[in-house]
Amino acid sequence: MKALIGWINDRIGLPSAVDRQLGRTLQGGASWRYVLPGTLLFAFLVEVITGLVLWAFYCPSSQSAWESVYWFQEVVQAGWLVRGIHFFAGHAMVVLAGLYVAQLVLTGMYRAPREFVFWAAVSMLLILLGLLITGDLLRWDQEGYWATRVRVGFLTLLPKIGADAFKLVLGGSDIGHLTLTRFVVLHVGILSVVFASLLCWHNRMLARVGLAGHAEQVSNGNPSSSYWPGQALRNLLAALALSAVVGLLCTQNYWRGPHPGQRPGEYLGAALGAPADPVDSFAAARPEWAFRPLYQLTALFKSSSIGNTGLSWQVVPIFGITSGLVLLVFLMPFVGKLSVGHVFNVALLVAIVAGAAGLGAASLWNDRRDAKFQAAATLGEETALRARELVRPPLETPALVGTQSAAPAATASLASVPQGIPVDGALALMHNDPKIAGRALFQQHCASCHNHSDAQGRGIVSEKPSAPNLYGFGSRPWLAGLLDPQKIVGPDYYGNTALRKGEMPGFVKDTLGKLEGDEKKQLEMAVAALSAETGLSSQKELDAKESARIGDGKKLIVGDYGCTDCHRYGGKGQLGNGPDLSGWGSREWLVGIIGNPAHARFYGKKNDRMPAYAEFPAEPDKNVLSAAAIGILADWLRGDWYEPAESRQ
Amino acid sequence: MAEIQNPKSEIQTPERRGFCTKVIALLVAIGVYVPAAVAGVLALLSPLRQAGQAGRSMRLATLDGLPEDGTPRKFAVVADHRDAWTHYPKQPVGAVFLRRTGEKQVQALQVICPHAGCFVVHDPEKKGFFCPCHSASFDLDGKRNGSDCPSPRDMDTLEVELRGREVWVNYQKFRTGIPGKVAEA
């Protein structure tokens, strides 16, 4: 063995280099104080290993970046662990590098002959911040996308070069494919490589000048010892402690509660939000923790022009103060030579750390108290969960095509069961999902008049409701309310509309309102019959069970109650006096009334203010909403959307 | 090649020729590396040559779709969109707030906050607009509220043209962060 090592050593000199490194003398002996550079090296190697694996699964384009990260996180075996380690160890490196720089300043070890050791350490910290920023975008979720959009947007504050710098970083005038490809190169190809070179160079310099500072060599009475084993083992133990912390952070949700039936990737490792949506700004986007202080500092500056320069005052915190502080830190070795220089440097460090901690805490505190932020953050979490529900491949093996015995799935009646990520990406699923997009469409187009809130007032509440509350529209309880003499003229039905003075409330009051005893039970049958027209999935089982009652109810609608005097139903009655009751509340009926409520089939001339969202069937471009959007809205109103099976053990 | 020639000539020649050789080696090295560097930089700088999206006139609503009391309504802007090599036909590309300011007058406001590019939302309680990213707030006309509003300028208005009862808007994006309203180019 020795002969072999000697043979190799004679030719490449490596083993003796290792010997030299491990055998080098430490003035004053090994100490826990020297573990930070070694721990940084360990963490960096962990980042390289996990980063290469992540890279092997990553596909940087705007339709596949989030999708490939999702796939790695949830489907690939141990993917969540690799991603979690990369994420948390990366963040830990920023902390370690910060601690290391602070240590160098506090112990005065930035002075001659250690200037370059110190500059290398500060540069490593800055590069780690760059890695944090570039890595933030790569997962391509809402949080990272919008934080990056804002961050890169601040480049336009720079005089003269601002607009060009913005375009160069984004690779175009907006974030897209080329932003991702550029950020991958920055993250993997440039910043990481520069960091690795700096780290190696830094460690070589350390070997030259020694780990212990001048002050320690004088004051410390301990005998000198070699690097191995005392210091090497201390470094390894520090690295082990770091691994334990990273492991705990990766599995934090495991310790918080049971997660029956979930894949580990669904709740362990690093977070993954909803896919980036360029037309849906994420209202809870905030910078990574390391940039929180700067975020808060910027808020202290106005954005108005400095004099007549056309420059915003926010240039001062974002570029001026930060680069000024970095410059001061770089000058520390020279300032330290002056008589009170070291005191000044230590004071500067304390001021930066205290200022950053104070600003960061203030920012977190503000968000905590901000109800709007909390609501946006909750909505963001719900959207992220929904996104992952939609793209998750079904756990059950799909029925073979052509198999006669394949029973229809329980969810077959729902709008659509996703079959995995389509070629145009997960965002297309989100944009077509009634649960998410339908709600958003309602909020945008309907909520200024219609409420969509339950009896406790939870849900979407309009500022000035002027039309019926559509929560549970078409269901038996909703319809029973419409046929209640008091409720029909109340705010949840016709109370705020012109129909309040129409014929329907009169009929409900004079005819239905006077029913008593058994007749009231009969009204329930009519309600069940009309409600069955909707074909709501929530009532399907009930309707099937009560088909006899529904049949009796139908007879009442065309018979005793005389509904067909004004409405068309069951082949009787004329259109033009009131909405068509055949297929009332069905998807097709809803698509029709949203498209044009003033159509003879619906309210005709009696339509009160409701706009037509698809007024021109022959010219779809002229319509306010596309046919697809109206369909999504109808599905949402009917509660028809894909829900994964509840128990997924 | 430059590296190989260099030491050789230094051994064989006296001081002065050594200097000349160094200059020649440098020139050769430049000749060797510059084309690659220039080509690479040209490729990376290509986004600067990319022309921005000019204003596009599009029909967003009809007068009847806008509340008479001047409450703003948000309308999605759907247009063809290109991201490098991918063409997205009829894709939502942004949104505009429209509000009636008179019987036959409509104001159009870009939803993109002039501060940092997030989207402002309508805030009915405060009768105005609000940007959640840095808490910029604007009144219904898009004017900044208070002197501590982080936005460098008021919300960006877009040109509106009424063709009969149809509301047409010249949709455009503007550079964020600066006090002046400059179209993105």
Side-chain angles (χ1 to χ4, degrees):
Chain A
M1 191 65 196
K2 265 205 167 142
L4 178 67
I5 291 173
W7 186 84
I8 296 173
N9 198 15
D10 286 347
R11 280 152 188 82
I12 66 170
L14 193 60
S16 70
V18 172
D19 274 351
R20 266 202 306 278
Q21 193 74 13
L22 292 178
R24 69 191 212 241
T25 311
L26 286 180
Q27 298 280 340
S31 166
W32 286 107
R33 279 171 297 179
Y34 310 146
V35 297
L36 282 172
T39 319
L40 262 178
L41 176 64
F42 160 78
F44 181 68
L45 292 177
V46 166
E47 289 299 279
V48 170
I49 295 167
T50 51
L52 285 174
V53 177
L54 278 162
W55 198 9
F57 284 85
Y58 186 59
C59 190
S61 92
S62 46
Q63 302 114 330
S64 58
W66 184 90
E67 290 74 2
S68 63
V69 174
Y70 157 77
W71 180 259
F72 187 71
Q73 167 76 24
E74 246 184 57
V75 182
V76 172
Q77 162 174 277
W80 64 269
L81 186 56
V82 174
R83 221 187 129 234
I85 291 174
H86 193 78
F87 181 86
F88 289 111
H91 283 258
M93 280 181 83
V94 178
V95 178
L96 290 174
L99 285 175
Y100 183 48
V101 169
Q103 186 192 25
L104 291 180
V105 174
L106 289 176
T107 55
M109 298 219 293
Y110 56 91
R111 286 177 291 198
R114 301 164 169 277
E115 294 94 333
F116 280 91
V117 172
F118 177 70
W119 289 329
V122 177
S123 307
M124 284 195 288
L125 176 59
L126 295 177
I127 288 174
L128 284 171
L129 291 174
L131 284 161
L132 210 64
I133 286 184
T134 46
D136 198 19
L137 177 74
L138 295 185
R139 64 182 188 271
W140 202 246
D141 67 0
Q142 279 284 72
E143 174 113 47
Y145 179 96
W146 285 99
T148 304
R149 171 65 188 79
V150 168
R151 209 147 39 206
V152 178
F154 283 132
L155 284 175
T156 57
L157 294 179
L158 290 170
K160 304 260 189 287
I161 56 162
D164 284 348
F166 176 77
K167 271 183 155 182
L168 279 182
V169 172
L170 293 190
S173 48
D174 225 332
I175 306 190
H177 297 317
L178 294 176
T179 319
L180 276 168
T181 51
R182 273 169 196 237
F183 272 56
V184 172
V185 169
L186 279 173
H187 189 84
V188 181
I190 297 179
L191 293 175
S192 299
V193 171
V194 173
F195 183 87
S197 321
L198 270 176
L199 190 61
C200 292
W201 182 53
H202 168 268
N203 287 358
R204 273 185 72 121
M205 284 189 294
L206 265 191
R208 271 172 72 100
V209 298
L211 276 171
H214 180 68
E216 281 146 310
Q217 286 169 34
V218 175
S219 64
N220 187 336
N222 295 343
S224 296
S225 69
S226 68
Y227 193 86
W228 178 270
Q231 192 58 45
L233 288 182
R234 281 182 173 80
N235 286 2
L236 283 174
L237 283 175
L240 187 67
L242 177 69
S243 307
V245 171
V246 169
L248 276 177
L249 287 169
C250 282
T251 54
Q252 51 185 317
N253 287 336
Y254 176 81
W255 312 107
R256 282 186 186 154
H259 298 272
Q262 284 191 305
R263 295 187 178 109
E266 289 178 40
Y267 64 102
L268 298 177
L272 178 64
D277 189 344
V279 290
D280 179 20
S281 165
F282 180 49
R286 290 290 183 266
E288 299 269 25
W289 61 271
F291 291 88
R292 274 285 183 145
L294 185 55
Y295 171 84
Q296 187 67 13
L297 180 67
T298 309
L300 301 178
F301 285 78
K302 284 180 197 174
S303 197
S304 51
S305 171
I306 309 176
N308 288 328
T309 55
L311 267 181
S312 157
W313 272 103
Q314 295 201 330
V315 173
V316 175
I318 296 173
F319 298 102
I321 294 182
T322 45
S323 44
L325 287 177
V326 168
L327 185 68
L328 278 179
V329 171
F330 267 95
L331 288 178
M332 276 183 177
F334 300 123
V335 175
K337 284 183 178 168
L338 308 174
S339 57
V340 288
H342 180 61
V343 178
F344 175 83
N345 285 338
V346 170
L348 178 65
L349 174 81
V350 171
I352 293 176
V353 172
L359 287 166
S363 170
L364 291 174
W365 176 245
N366 285 348
D367 279 349
R368 239 190 129 105
R369 287 183 313 164
D370 183 350
K372 275 185 192 144
F373 174 83
Q374 294 298 334
T378 310
L379 183 67
E381 278 167 30
E382 285 168 10
T383 315
L385 281 178
R386 180 64 179 164
R388 284 164 74 164
E389 248 170 44
L390 289 176
V391 298
R392 195 163 284 147
L395 279 181
E396 320 79 50
T397 328
L400 290 173
V401 177
T403 310
Q404 293 292 316
S405 62
T411 47
S413 63
L414 299 189
S416 64
V417 184
Q419 299 295 322
I421 299 169
V423 70
D424 35 358
L427 198 56
L429 283 181
M430 303 287 287
H431 283 169
N432 291 319
D433 175 37
K435 190 174 179 183
I436 298 255
R439 186 190 154 90
L441 281 167
F442 185 89
Q443 233 154 4
Q444 189 174 339
H445 295 280
C446 318
S448 53
C449 301
H450 290 279
N451 278 354
H452 190 279
S453 56
D454 62 12
Q456 280 80 44
R458 286 172 306 203
I460 300 171
V461 180
S462 164
E463 190 195 359
K464 264 193 305 189
S466 60
N469 183 346
L470 295 179
Y471 180 81
F473 173 80
S475 66
R476 291 186 188 184
W478 191 92
L479 196 53
L482 181 73
L483 300 180
D484 178 291
Q486 262 85 54
K487 285 188 181 163
I488 189 171
V489 291
D492 278 341
Y493 293 93
Y494 291 166
N496 296 321
T497 73
L499 296 168
R500 178 173 206 244
K501 301 208 165 70
E503 293 154 66
M504 187 70 185
F507 164 77
V508 169
K509 192 177 160 207
D510 298 339
T511 311
L512 304 181
K514 298 209 168 116
L515 301 177
E516 275 178 21
D518 276 357
E519 290 172 329
K520 265 204 158 159
K521 287 260 184 278
Q522 288 186 328
L523 181 61
E524 280 173 24
M525 291 200 280
V527 164
L530 191 51
S531 184
E533 292 287 314
T534 59
L536 287 177
S537 356
S538 55
Q539 290 185 174
K540 266 223 158 110
E541 280 176 37
L542 189 64
D543 287 349
K545 218 163 60 187
E546 299 186 352
S547 56
R549 282 187 75 202
I550 287 170
D552 293 342
K554 280 183 180 170
K555 283 178 205 143
L556 285 166
I557 294 174
V558 292
D560 289 7
Y561 297 149
C563 299
T564 47
D565 292 352
C566 300
H567 298 276
R568 188 174 73 166
Y569 184 74
K572 293 191 181 166
Q574 299 286 318
L575 286 183
N577 286 320
D580 189 359
L581 296 185
S582 354
W584 178 81
S586 64
R587 185 178 194 275
E588 184 268 339
W589 189 93
L590 271 172
V591 166
I593 195 168
I594 297 169
N596 190 359
H599 188 277
R601 190 182 158 196
F602 303 103
Y603 285 104
K605 291 197 179 110
K606 294 176 186 166
N607 179 43
D608 175 26
R609 291 171 290 173
M610 164 126 172
Y613 289 93
E615 201 177 349
F616 313 99
E619 295 166 278
D621 282 356
K622 288 180 100 178
N623 293 330
V624 179
L625 288 177
S626 67
I630 294 177
I632 289 168
L633 202 44
D635 284 333
W636 183 73
L637 285 169
R638 294 165 46 79
D640 264 354
W641 56 72
Y642 163 74
E643 282 293 341
E646 264 171 47
S647 62
R648 306 198 299 114
Q649 262 91 0
Chain B
M1 277 205 297
E3 287 98 329
I4 298 169
Q5 284 170 358
N6 210 352
K8 231 191 216 170
S9 41
E10 250 174 38
I11 296 164
Q12 290 170 349
T13 53
E15 226 15 51
R16 252 196 88 208
R17 275 193 56 203
F19 175 74
C20 289
T21 324
K22 279 180 190 164
V23 170
I24 292 167
L26 185 69
L27 291 176
V28 171
I30 288 174
V32 169
Y33 293 112
V34 158
V38 168
V41 167
L42 279 179
L44 287 173
L45 291 182
S46 63
L48 294 182
R49 295 171 57 85
Q50 186 197 340
Q53 183 73 55
R56 289 184 278 188
S57 188
M58 47 186 83
R59 178 191 173 283
L60 287 188
T62 61
L63 277 179
D64 311 291
L66 300 176
E68 277 162 23
D69 62 359
T71 307
R73 282 272 179 86
K74 190 170 148 188
F75 290 87
V77 175
V78 176
D80 287 1
H81 172 64
R82 180 170 278 277
D83 174 7
W85 49 84
T86 309
H87 175 74
Y88 298 92
K90 298 223 178 121
Q91 181 83 2
V93 291
V96 171
F97 282 113
L98 295 180
R99 64 181 284 261
R100 270 180 132 162
T101 48
E103 173 57 30
K104 284 231 139 204
Q105 262 184 325
V106 173
Q107 184 185 38
L109 294 168
Q110 171 62 275
V111 297
I112 299 174
C113 179
H115 177 230
C118 298
F119 291 1
V120 296
V121 291
H122 176 217
D123 187 349
E125 279 167 42
K126 298 225 172 100
K127 300 229 180 303
F129 300 97
F130 174 79
C131 180
C133 285
H134 302 87
S135 307
S137 96
F138 307 88
D139 67 13
L140 280 179
D141 287 321
K143 301 266 181 299
R144 283 165 292 175
N145 282 335
S147 59
D148 57 347
C149 175
S151 177
R153 57 175 192 263
D154 297 333
M155 282 170 74
D156 296 315
T157 51
L158 298 167
E159 289 166 40
V160 178
E161 188 196 340
L162 289 180
R163 300 186 192 167
R165 297 196 69 76
E166 291 180 353
V167 183
W168 286 69
V169 170
N170 186 30
Y171 184 75
Q172 229 175 341
K173 290 182 178 177
F174 301 91
R175 274 171 56 188
T176 56
I178 53 172
K181 181 179 166 190
V182 183
E184 227 173 52

